[in-house]
Amino acid sequence: MKRRILFAIKLFLLCAVIQQLNGQTYNTIISDSVINNLMKHEITTRAKSYSDSKIWKKKIKSTPTPWSEAIVELISAEYNDFITQKKFIIERDKRYFPKLKKLTEILSKSDFDYMESQFNSELNNKWNFKTKKGRLRDNPRRKYYSYTIPLFNKEHSVALLYSEFGGCSYCGGARMLVYIKKNNTWKLYKSIPLWES
């Protein structure tokens, strides 16, 4: 029995080492470089919230928000699975941007399945990128940004990212960001409002 337990522990540690060598600290499917590339682009190119200081760097919560805790619908308590999150995101998408393609037109069923596998393979690690426009903070209390780990389609050409601004007594909000990669550069396709306070 002791040998089996020791073998299981060694196997777990070996898997963790291999995962780190493969550059996958956010989830077991997408490499860190793909995720960090999009995150640095998001933090560098998107403007600050209207209530954030224009002088200082963005304060980024150093731990990604788990997708199961992303508040995509305020009136529901069910935030824990991909199917529920996807349903609310698609419903929100229908309300905005009538001239732009909807998520169901951009992403296929197999893309959504691939995103679900990423959703279910999240690891609890901190962000490991640096950017000139943002500072990672362990426990920011005021005016900070938090993000989920982006979910990508199969070709890694479309990404969904939950973004939240909080820590103000009178303001805050969340958006679902839809990025599309064109000519090897990420472009924000649309920013779907989810909630504001």
Side-chain angles (χ1 to χ4, degrees):
M1 182 68 172
K2 286 183 181 179
R3 282 185 174 177
R4 286 184 183 171
I5 292 172
L6 285 173
F7 177 75
I9 291 170
K10 287 179 182 178
L11 184 62
F12 175 78
L13 292 173
L14 178 63
C15 289
V17 168
I18 290 170
Q19 193 172 305
Q20 292 291 332
L21 292 174
N22 288 333
Q24 292 175 287
T25 56
Y26 301 127
N27 69 41
T28 58
I29 296 171
I30 308 293
S31 74
D32 288 0
S33 62
V34 171
I35 292 169
N36 286 340
N37 183 317
L38 175 60
M39 292 308 301
K40 288 192 275 189
H41 179 79
E42 155 64 17
I43 292 164
T44 303
T45 59
R46 286 233 11 255
K48 288 184 174 185
S49 171
Y50 67 92
S51 60
D52 196 3
S53 167
K54 303 303 175 203
I55 300 170
W56 313 110
K57 293 180 177 183
K58 293 178 183 177
K59 285 184 270 183
I60 314 295
K61 192 173 178 186
S62 62
T63 307
T65 301
W67 269 99
S68 59
E69 295 175 16
I71 305 170
V72 298
E73 183 66 43
L74 282 175
I75 58 172
S76 174
E78 299 178 49
Y79 301 129
N80 56 359
D81 69 356
F82 181 78
I83 303 300
T84 305
Q85 296 284 43
K86 177 181 138 186
K87 180 181 90 173
F88 286 133
I89 292 166
I90 289 171
E91 285 301 313
R92 282 300 233 185
D93 186 35
K94 289 178 184 175
R95 297 183 200 173
Y96 299 96
F97 311 106
K99 294 182 180 179
L100 296 178
K101 288 184 179 179
K102 301 299 176 197
L103 288 174
T104 50
E105 297 173 284
I106 298 170
L107 299 167
S108 67
K109 183 188 179 316
S110 63
D111 286 328
F112 279 117
D113 290 343
Y114 187 62
M115 289 179 164
E116 183 174 12
S117 65
Q118 295 166 61
F119 181 101
N120 292 325
S121 69
E122 282 186 316
L123 302 170
N124 296 322
N125 290 310
K126 293 186 175 187
W127 293 117
N128 64 8
F129 59 80
K130 290 183 180 177
T131 175
K132 292 179 181 178
K133 297 242 179 158
R135 294 177 297 166
L136 296 173
R137 293 282 185 238
D138 283 343
N139 293 305
R141 295 174 193 259
R142 298 191 69 244
K143 297 184 178 180
Y144 65 88
Y145 299 81
S146 61
Y147 299 95
T148 57
I149 297 164
L151 301 177
F152 296 88
N153 69 340
K154 289 179 115 179
E155 292 78 28
H156 300 176
S157 59
V158 178
L160 299 181
L161 176 63
Y162 173 85
S163 168
E164 187 174 306
F165 177 72
C168 291
S169 56
Y170 57 89
C171 65
R175 295 184 167 269
M176 185 60 57
L177 308 177
V178 181
Y179 275 96
I180 295 180
K181 197 175 213 178
K182 289 187 178 177
N183 300 324
N184 216 24
T185 303
W186 288 107
K187 301 282 185 194
L188 182 63
Y189 185 65
K190 60 173 116 175
S191 174
I192 304 166
L194 299 175
W195 59 268
E196 285 187 21
S197 64

